[in-house]
Amino acid sequence: MEIYYKSETLRLALSLFIKKKEKIGFVPTMGALHLGHMSLVERALRENDCVVVSIFVNPTQFNNPEDLEKYPKTLENDVALIETLNENVLIYTPNVSDIYKNNISSKKYRFSGLEHEMEGKHREGHFDGVGTVLDKLFRIITPTKAYFGEKDFQQLQVVKKLVEIELLPVSIIGCSIVREKSGLAMSSRNKRLTESQKSEASLINKTLIEVVNKFKTESISELNKYVNDIFNKHPNLALEYFEIANVKTLKTAKRKRKENTYRAFIAVFTGNVRLIDNIALN
Ligand code: PAF
């Protein structure tokens, strides 16, 4: 395992793999690595000759300065975790100027409307920031395949659109959500929760599982009411949104149609930490 801080030195190292026509896997992260990230890296190692893990807290995708400032930074731990894999992993942890030079701003994208739903409504400019940084990282790393967790299901769809728009020759691979024993989806933000907040937050996944159980027999408006009622009874968990959406368009579904595939999406504040999760319904 090697650590690279500059795109030029990383490119130099990657050129050896590229010359031999070897496959480069890529796992983009903002650090504070957990078992969810590790499962992406392990899969990438199985499917490629080397894997780049980027660790970069991207300023342009945060609409909330406090969230950016408090985003957990645990580089030493992250490196130690990656070292346990003992394989061909290259860590790329640039500073802001290596990525943005002196222009820290995002490109304005149109992701066929995906960017206006859910996270897009609640985090203005978020997907422009994600698209901008990933476009830059994809061009530096030139991966064969890049791996993303389905916890950020909307991000995964946006990234698939991004590579279409930018004509980037990379396959985008979505990977299942990795959960704590309690069902809580693994997230770097969980590091900001106390033990009791973590256990309260397991209600998020429990509620989604109940929604799956009820999906066949109950209407979408009944399910919306069911979820809102549950969170109204839990003052420590503030529901930001719950939506059942069509997986292709991510548009909110008002009523079920047999031919469509749906997922339930949720965002909840536990104290001032914002958590998201989602689950397949049919
Ligand atoms: O999912 C994340 O951690 C970030 O949005 C990503 C993909 C690393 C881009 O900064």
Side-chain angles (χ1 to χ4, degrees):
M1 189 219 64
E2 281 297 327
I3 306 185
Y4 299 86
Y5 300 93
K6 296 266 174 224
S7 55
E8 292 89 55
T9 44
L10 174 71
R11 285 291 305 159
L12 205 62
L14 288 174
S15 65
L16 304 178
F17 293 93
I18 295 168
K19 249 188 223 139
K20 290 190 267 171
K21 295 206 172 5
E22 292 189 331
K23 288 191 197 135
I24 301 172
F26 176 36
V27 180
T29 82
M30 298 203 296
L33 301 185
H34 49 68
L35 294 180
H37 294 117
M38 295 303 278
S39 76
L40 302 181
V41 181
E42 280 161 11
R43 173 155 178 203
L45 279 167
R46 287 197 297 275
E47 298 179 1
N48 299 275
D49 299 295
C50 71
V51 173
V52 178
V53 177
S54 65
I55 297 180
F56 177 64
V57 182
N58 173 35
T60 64
Q61 71 186 73
F62 286 82
N63 59 329
N64 173 350
E66 191 193 344
D67 194 25
L68 171 59
E69 190 200 318
K70 299 239 168 94
Y71 201 85
K73 292 168 195 80
T74 60
L75 186 61
E76 252 176 57
N77 278 337
D78 295 347
V79 171
L81 265 181
I82 297 284
E83 256 169 353
T84 63
L85 298 172
N86 193 21
E87 297 230 23
N88 255 340
V89 183
L90 299 82
I91 294 183
Y92 175 45
T93 179
N95 60 26
V96 173
S97 67
D98 198 46
I99 296 291
Y100 285 100
K101 311 296 176 238
N102 48 18
N103 179 19
I104 309 174
S105 65
S106 29
K107 186 167 164 181
K108 300 275 166 274
Y109 280 103
R110 285 192 184 166
F111 297 114
S112 305
L114 294 172
E115 73 280 19
H116 299 312
E117 308 300 326
M118 300 180 288
E119 292 299 286
K121 274 187 207 144
H122 295 273
R123 301 183 68 188
E124 218 197 310
H126 171 67
F127 289 119
D128 283 337
V130 170
T132 302
V133 76
L134 286 175
D135 179 53
K136 291 177 187 291
L137 290 168
F138 286 146
R139 288 175 200 276
I140 294 169
I141 294 159
T142 61
T144 321
K145 292 183 180 177
Y147 298 79
F148 293 82
E150 284 187 343
K151 182 178 73 71
D152 298 290
F153 190 87
Q154 187 173 8
Q155 168 171 277
L156 172 63
Q157 307 312 311
V158 163
V159 177
K160 287 183 179 162
K161 215 20 110 204
L162 171 76
V163 304
E164 259 176 58
I165 296 170
E166 298 286 0
L167 302 172
L168 296 164
V170 51
S171 308
I172 302 302
I173 315 288
C175 304
S176 314
I177 300 175
V178 179
R179 298 181 179 281
E180 308 273 356
K181 269 207 193 85
S182 68
L184 178 65
M186 296 226 177
S187 163
S188 302
R189 288 184 176 85
N190 295 354
K191 292 203 167 69
R192 292 177 55 200
L193 301 176
T194 62
E195 282 311 308
S196 80
Q197 283 177 320
K198 259 195 207 166
S199 107
E200 279 168 344
S202 66
L203 183 70
I204 299 169
N205 179 244
K206 289 196 182 90
T207 306
L208 289 183
I209 292 173
E210 272 312 300
V211 170
V212 175
N213 295 338
K214 291 171 180 288
F215 185 71
K216 271 209 177 110
T217 52
E218 298 199 12
S219 70
I220 289 183
S221 59
E222 282 166 334
L223 293 170
N224 288 339
K225 180 173 180 321
Y226 168 74
V227 173
N228 276 282
D229 288 350
I230 288 192
F231 284 93
N232 282 338
K233 284 189 219 126
H234 285 82
N236 294 342
L237 298 172
L239 180 66
E240 188 178 56
Y241 67 77
F242 168 77
E243 292 200 13
I244 291 178
N246 180 320
V247 290
K248 283 205 190 119
T249 60
L250 298 185
K251 289 209 180 308
T252 312
K254 300 243 159 50
R255 63 189 74 78
K256 298 183 250 179
R257 286 178 195 279
K258 269 205 205 89
E259 65 275 21
N260 289 344
T261 307
Y262 299 101
R263 254 179 128 87
F265 296 85
I266 193 164
V268 172
F269 276 95
T270 308
N272 54 2
V273 181
R274 186 173 182 276
L275 303 173
I276 59 171
D277 200 349
N278 66 85
I279 201 160
L281 294 175
N282 61 342

CSV table of all heavy atoms in Angstrom, one decimal, residues 26-31 37 54-59 61-62 71 100 123 126-127 129-131 133-134 137 147-149 151-152 155 159 188-189, ligand 1:
chain,number,residue,atom,x,y,z
A,26,PHE,N,-11.6,1.7,-8.5
A,26,PHE,CA,-11.5,3.0,-7.8
A,26,PHE,C,-12.7,3.0,-6.8
A,26,PHE,O,-13.8,2.7,-7.1
A,26,PHE,CB,-11.7,4.1,-8.8
A,26,PHE,CG,-11.8,5.5,-8.2
A,26,PHE,CD1,-11.1,5.8,-7.1
A,26,PHE,CD2,-12.6,6.5,-8.8
A,26,PHE,CE1,-11.1,7.1,-6.5
A,26,PHE,CE2,-12.7,7.7,-8.2
A,26,PHE,CZ,-12.0,8.1,-7.1
A,27,VAL,N,-12.3,3.3,-5.5
A,27,VAL,CA,-13.3,3.5,-4.5
A,27,VAL,C,-13.1,5.0,-3.9
A,27,VAL,O,-12.2,5.3,-3.2
A,27,VAL,CB,-13.1,2.5,-3.3
A,27,VAL,CG1,-14.2,2.8,-2.2
A,27,VAL,CG2,-13.2,1.1,-3.9
A,28,PRO,N,-14.0,5.9,-4.4
A,28,PRO,CA,-13.9,7.3,-3.9
A,28,PRO,C,-14.5,7.3,-2.5
A,28,PRO,O,-15.6,6.8,-2.3
A,28,PRO,CB,-14.8,8.1,-4.9
A,28,PRO,CG,-15.6,7.1,-5.7
A,28,PRO,CD,-15.1,5.7,-5.4
A,29,THR,N,-13.9,8.0,-1.6
A,29,THR,CA,-14.4,8.2,-0.2
A,29,THR,C,-14.1,9.6,0.3
A,29,THR,O,-13.2,10.2,-0.3
A,29,THR,CB,-13.8,7.1,0.8
A,29,THR,OG1,-12.6,7.6,1.3
A,29,THR,CG2,-13.7,5.8,0.2
A,30,MET,N,-14.7,9.9,1.4
A,30,MET,CA,-14.3,11.1,2.1
A,30,MET,C,-13.6,10.7,3.4
A,30,MET,O,-13.6,11.5,4.4
A,30,MET,CB,-15.5,12.0,2.3
A,30,MET,CG,-16.1,12.5,1.0
A,30,MET,SD,-17.1,14.0,1.0
A,30,MET,CE,-18.4,13.5,2.1
A,31,GLY,N,-13.1,9.5,3.5
A,31,GLY,CA,-12.4,9.0,4.7
A,31,GLY,C,-13.4,8.6,5.8
A,31,GLY,O,-14.6,8.3,5.5
A,37,HIS,N,-17.2,0.8,3.5
A,37,HIS,CA,-16.1,1.2,2.5
A,37,HIS,C,-15.2,0.0,2.3
A,37,HIS,O,-14.8,-0.3,1.1
A,37,HIS,CB,-15.2,2.3,3.1
A,37,HIS,CG,-15.8,3.6,3.3
A,37,HIS,ND1,-16.0,4.2,4.5
A,37,HIS,CD2,-16.4,4.5,2.4
A,37,HIS,CE1,-16.6,5.4,4.3
A,37,HIS,NE2,-16.8,5.6,3.1
A,54,SER,N,-9.6,6.9,-2.8
A,54,SER,CA,-9.4,8.4,-2.6
A,54,SER,C,-10.0,8.7,-1.3
A,54,SER,O,-11.1,8.2,-0.9
A,54,SER,CB,-9.9,9.2,-3.7
A,54,SER,OG,-11.3,9.1,-3.8
A,55,ILE,N,-9.3,9.6,-0.5
A,55,ILE,CA,-9.8,10.1,0.8
A,55,ILE,C,-9.7,11.6,0.6
A,55,ILE,O,-8.6,12.2,0.7
A,55,ILE,CB,-8.9,9.6,1.9
A,55,ILE,CG1,-9.0,8.0,2.0
A,55,ILE,CG2,-9.3,10.2,3.2
A,55,ILE,CD1,-8.2,7.4,3.1
A,56,PHE,N,-10.9,12.2,0.4
A,56,PHE,CA,-10.9,13.6,0.1
A,56,PHE,C,-12.2,14.2,0.6
A,56,PHE,O,-13.3,13.8,0.0
A,56,PHE,CB,-10.6,13.9,-1.3
A,56,PHE,CG,-10.7,15.4,-1.7
A,56,PHE,CD1,-9.8,16.3,-1.2
A,56,PHE,CD2,-11.7,15.8,-2.6
A,56,PHE,CE1,-9.8,17.6,-1.5
A,56,PHE,CE2,-11.7,17.2,-2.9
A,56,PHE,CZ,-10.8,18.1,-2.4
A,57,VAL,N,-12.2,15.0,1.6
A,57,VAL,CA,-13.5,15.7,2.0
A,57,VAL,C,-13.7,16.8,1.1
A,57,VAL,O,-13.1,17.9,1.1
A,57,VAL,CB,-13.4,16.1,3.5
A,57,VAL,CG1,-14.8,16.7,3.9
A,57,VAL,CG2,-13.0,14.9,4.4
A,58,ASN,N,-14.7,16.6,0.2
A,58,ASN,CA,-14.9,17.5,-0.9
A,58,ASN,C,-15.7,18.8,-0.5
A,58,ASN,O,-16.9,18.6,-0.3
A,58,ASN,CB,-15.6,16.8,-2.1
A,58,ASN,CG,-16.0,17.7,-3.2
A,58,ASN,OD1,-15.3,18.6,-3.5
A,58,ASN,ND2,-17.2,17.4,-3.8
A,59,PRO,N,-15.1,19.9,-0.5
A,59,PRO,CA,-15.8,21.1,0.1
A,59,PRO,C,-17.1,21.5,-0.8
A,59,PRO,O,-18.0,22.0,-0.2
A,59,PRO,CB,-14.8,22.2,0.1
A,59,PRO,CG,-13.8,21.8,-0.9
A,59,PRO,CD,-13.7,20.3,-0.9
A,61,GLN,N,-19.4,19.9,-2.1
A,61,GLN,CA,-20.7,19.1,-2.0
A,61,GLN,C,-21.4,19.3,-0.7
A,61,GLN,O,-22.4,18.7,-0.5
A,61,GLN,CB,-20.5,17.6,-2.3
A,61,GLN,CG,-19.7,16.9,-1.2
A,61,GLN,CD,-19.4,15.4,-1.6
A,61,GLN,OE1,-18.5,15.2,-2.4
A,61,GLN,NE2,-20.1,14.5,-1.1
A,62,PHE,N,-20.8,20.2,0.2
A,62,PHE,CA,-21.5,20.5,1.4
A,62,PHE,C,-22.3,21.8,1.3
A,62,PHE,O,-21.7,22.8,1.0
A,62,PHE,CB,-20.4,20.6,2.5
A,62,PHE,CG,-19.8,19.3,2.9
A,62,PHE,CD1,-18.8,18.7,2.2
A,62,PHE,CD2,-20.3,18.6,4.1
A,62,PHE,CE1,-18.2,17.5,2.6
A,62,PHE,CE2,-19.8,17.4,4.4
A,62,PHE,CZ,-18.7,16.8,3.7
A,71,TYR,N,-17.1,17.1,9.7
A,71,TYR,CA,-17.0,15.8,9.0
A,71,TYR,C,-15.8,15.0,9.6
A,71,TYR,O,-14.7,15.6,9.7
A,71,TYR,CB,-16.9,15.9,7.5
A,71,TYR,CG,-17.2,14.7,6.8
A,71,TYR,CD1,-18.6,14.4,6.5
A,71,TYR,CD2,-16.3,13.7,6.5
A,71,TYR,CE1,-18.9,13.2,5.9
A,71,TYR,CE2,-16.7,12.5,5.9
A,71,TYR,CZ,-18.0,12.3,5.6
A,71,TYR,OH,-18.4,11.1,5.1
A,100,TYR,N,-8.7,21.3,-6.9
A,100,TYR,CA,-9.4,22.5,-7.4
A,100,TYR,C,-8.5,23.6,-7.9
A,100,TYR,O,-9.0,24.7,-8.3
A,100,TYR,CB,-10.4,23.0,-6.3
A,100,TYR,CG,-11.6,22.2,-6.2
A,100,TYR,CD1,-11.7,21.3,-5.1
A,100,TYR,CD2,-12.6,22.2,-7.1
A,100,TYR,CE1,-12.8,20.4,-5.0
A,100,TYR,CE2,-13.8,21.4,-6.9
A,100,TYR,CZ,-13.9,20.5,-5.9
A,100,TYR,OH,-15.0,19.8,-5.8
A,123,ARG,N,-30.4,19.5,-0.1
A,123,ARG,CA,-29.0,19.9,-0.1
A,123,ARG,C,-28.6,20.6,-1.4
A,123,ARG,O,-28.1,20.0,-2.3
A,123,ARG,CB,-28.1,18.6,0.1
A,123,ARG,CG,-28.4,17.9,1.4
A,123,ARG,CD,-27.5,16.7,1.6
A,123,ARG,NE,-26.1,17.1,1.9
A,123,ARG,CZ,-25.1,16.3,1.9
A,123,ARG,NH1,-25.2,15.0,1.7
A,123,ARG,NH2,-23.9,16.8,2.2
A,126,HIS,N,-25.6,20.1,-3.9
A,126,HIS,CA,-24.8,18.9,-3.5
A,126,HIS,C,-24.4,18.1,-4.7
A,126,HIS,O,-23.2,17.7,-4.8
A,126,HIS,CB,-25.7,18.1,-2.6
A,126,HIS,CG,-25.2,16.7,-2.2
A,126,HIS,ND1,-24.0,16.6,-1.4
A,126,HIS,CD2,-25.5,15.5,-2.5
A,126,HIS,CE1,-23.7,15.3,-1.3
A,126,HIS,NE2,-24.6,14.6,-1.9
A,127,PHE,N,-25.3,17.8,-5.6
A,127,PHE,CA,-24.9,16.9,-6.7
A,127,PHE,C,-24.0,17.5,-7.7
A,127,PHE,O,-23.2,16.8,-8.4
A,127,PHE,CB,-26.1,16.2,-7.4
A,127,PHE,CG,-26.8,15.2,-6.4
A,127,PHE,CD1,-28.1,15.4,-6.0
A,127,PHE,CD2,-26.1,14.1,-6.0
A,127,PHE,CE1,-28.7,14.5,-5.2
A,127,PHE,CE2,-26.7,13.2,-5.1
A,127,PHE,CZ,-28.0,13.4,-4.7
A,129,GLY,N,-21.6,19.4,-6.8
A,129,GLY,CA,-20.3,19.2,-6.1
A,129,GLY,C,-19.8,17.8,-6.2
A,129,GLY,O,-18.6,17.6,-6.5
A,130,VAL,N,-20.7,16.8,-6.1
A,130,VAL,CA,-20.3,15.4,-6.2
A,130,VAL,C,-19.8,15.2,-7.7
A,130,VAL,O,-18.8,14.6,-7.9
A,130,VAL,CB,-21.5,14.5,-5.9
A,130,VAL,CG1,-21.2,13.1,-6.3
A,130,VAL,CG2,-21.8,14.6,-4.4
A,131,GLY,N,-20.6,15.7,-8.7
A,131,GLY,CA,-20.3,15.5,-10.1
A,131,GLY,C,-18.9,16.1,-10.4
A,131,GLY,O,-18.1,15.5,-11.1
A,133,VAL,N,-16.3,16.8,-8.4
A,133,VAL,CA,-15.1,16.2,-7.8
A,133,VAL,C,-14.9,14.8,-8.5
A,133,VAL,O,-13.8,14.4,-8.8
A,133,VAL,CB,-15.2,16.1,-6.3
A,133,VAL,CG1,-16.2,15.0,-5.8
A,133,VAL,CG2,-13.8,15.9,-5.7
A,134,LEU,N,-16.0,14.1,-8.8
A,134,LEU,CA,-15.8,12.8,-9.4
A,134,LEU,C,-15.3,12.9,-10.8
A,134,LEU,O,-14.5,12.1,-11.2
A,134,LEU,CB,-17.1,12.0,-9.3
A,134,LEU,CG,-17.5,11.5,-7.9
A,134,LEU,CD1,-18.8,10.8,-7.9
A,134,LEU,CD2,-16.4,10.5,-7.4
A,137,LEU,N,-11.7,13.4,-10.4
A,137,LEU,CA,-11.0,12.1,-9.9
A,137,LEU,C,-11.0,11.1,-11.0
A,137,LEU,O,-9.9,10.4,-11.2
A,137,LEU,CB,-11.7,11.6,-8.6
A,137,LEU,CG,-11.5,12.5,-7.4
A,137,LEU,CD1,-12.5,12.1,-6.2
A,137,LEU,CD2,-10.1,12.4,-6.8
A,147,TYR,N,-16.6,2.0,-7.6
A,147,TYR,CA,-17.6,1.3,-6.7
A,147,TYR,C,-18.2,2.3,-5.8
A,147,TYR,O,-17.5,3.1,-5.1
A,147,TYR,CB,-16.8,0.2,-5.9
A,147,TYR,CG,-16.2,-0.8,-6.9
A,147,TYR,CD1,-15.0,-0.6,-7.6
A,147,TYR,CD2,-16.9,-2.0,-7.1
A,147,TYR,CE1,-14.5,-1.5,-8.4
A,147,TYR,CE2,-16.3,-3.0,-7.9
A,147,TYR,CZ,-15.2,-2.7,-8.6
A,147,TYR,OH,-14.7,-3.6,-9.5
A,148,PHE,N,-19.6,2.2,-5.7
A,148,PHE,CA,-20.3,3.1,-4.8
A,148,PHE,C,-21.3,2.3,-4.0
A,148,PHE,O,-22.0,1.4,-4.5
A,148,PHE,CB,-21.1,4.1,-5.7
A,148,PHE,CG,-20.2,5.1,-6.4
A,148,PHE,CD1,-19.6,4.7,-7.6
A,148,PHE,CD2,-19.9,6.3,-5.9
A,148,PHE,CE1,-18.7,5.5,-8.3
A,148,PHE,CE2,-19.1,7.2,-6.6
A,148,PHE,CZ,-18.5,6.8,-7.8
A,149,GLY,N,-21.5,2.7,-2.8
A,149,GLY,CA,-22.5,2.0,-1.9
A,149,GLY,C,-23.9,2.5,-2.2
A,149,GLY,O,-24.1,3.6,-2.5
A,151,LYS,N,-26.2,2.9,-0.1
A,151,LYS,CA,-26.7,3.8,0.9
A,151,LYS,C,-27.0,5.2,0.3
A,151,LYS,O,-28.1,5.8,0.5
A,151,LYS,CB,-25.8,4.0,2.1
A,151,LYS,CG,-26.5,4.9,3.2
A,151,LYS,CD,-25.6,5.0,4.4
A,151,LYS,CE,-24.4,5.9,4.2
A,151,LYS,NZ,-24.8,7.4,4.0
A,152,ASP,N,-26.1,5.6,-0.6
A,152,ASP,CA,-26.3,6.9,-1.3
A,152,ASP,C,-26.9,6.5,-2.7
A,152,ASP,O,-26.2,6.7,-3.7
A,152,ASP,CB,-25.0,7.6,-1.5
A,152,ASP,CG,-24.5,8.0,-0.1
A,152,ASP,OD1,-25.1,8.9,0.5
A,152,ASP,OD2,-23.5,7.4,0.4
A,155,GLN,N,-27.1,9.2,-5.2
A,155,GLN,CA,-25.8,9.6,-5.7
A,155,GLN,C,-25.3,8.5,-6.8
A,155,GLN,O,-24.8,8.9,-7.9
A,155,GLN,CB,-24.8,9.6,-4.6
A,155,GLN,CG,-23.3,9.6,-5.0
A,155,GLN,CD,-22.4,9.8,-3.8
A,155,GLN,OE1,-22.2,10.9,-3.4
A,155,GLN,NE2,-21.8,8.7,-3.3
A,159,VAL,N,-24.2,9.4,-10.5
A,159,VAL,CA,-22.9,9.2,-11.0
A,159,VAL,C,-23.0,8.4,-12.4
A,159,VAL,O,-22.2,8.6,-13.3
A,159,VAL,CB,-22.0,8.4,-10.0
A,159,VAL,CG1,-20.7,8.0,-10.6
A,159,VAL,CG2,-21.9,9.2,-8.7
A,188,SER,N,-20.0,7.2,7.7
A,188,SER,CA,-18.9,7.9,8.4
A,188,SER,C,-19.6,8.8,9.4
A,188,SER,O,-19.0,9.1,10.5
A,188,SER,CB,-18.1,8.8,7.4
A,188,SER,OG,-17.6,7.9,6.4
A,189,ARG,N,-20.7,9.3,9.2
A,189,ARG,CA,-21.4,10.2,10.1
A,189,ARG,C,-21.8,9.5,11.4
A,189,ARG,O,-22.0,10.2,12.4
A,189,ARG,CB,-22.6,10.9,9.5
A,189,ARG,CG,-22.2,12.0,8.4
A,189,ARG,CD,-23.4,12.7,7.9
A,189,ARG,NE,-23.0,13.7,7.0
A,189,ARG,CZ,-22.8,13.6,5.7
A,189,ARG,NH1,-22.9,12.4,5.2
A,189,ARG,NH2,-22.4,14.6,4.9
B,1,PAF,O1,-20.1,9.3,-1.1
B,1,PAF,C1,-19.1,10.0,-0.8
B,1,PAF,O2,-18.4,9.7,0.2
B,1,PAF,C2,-18.8,11.2,-1.6
B,1,PAF,O3,-20.0,11.8,-2.1
B,1,PAF,C3,-17.9,10.9,-2.8
B,1,PAF,C4,-18.5,9.9,-3.8
B,1,PAF,C5,-16.5,10.4,-2.3
B,1,PAF,C6,-17.6,12.2,-3.6
B,1,PAF,O4,-16.9,13.2,-2.8
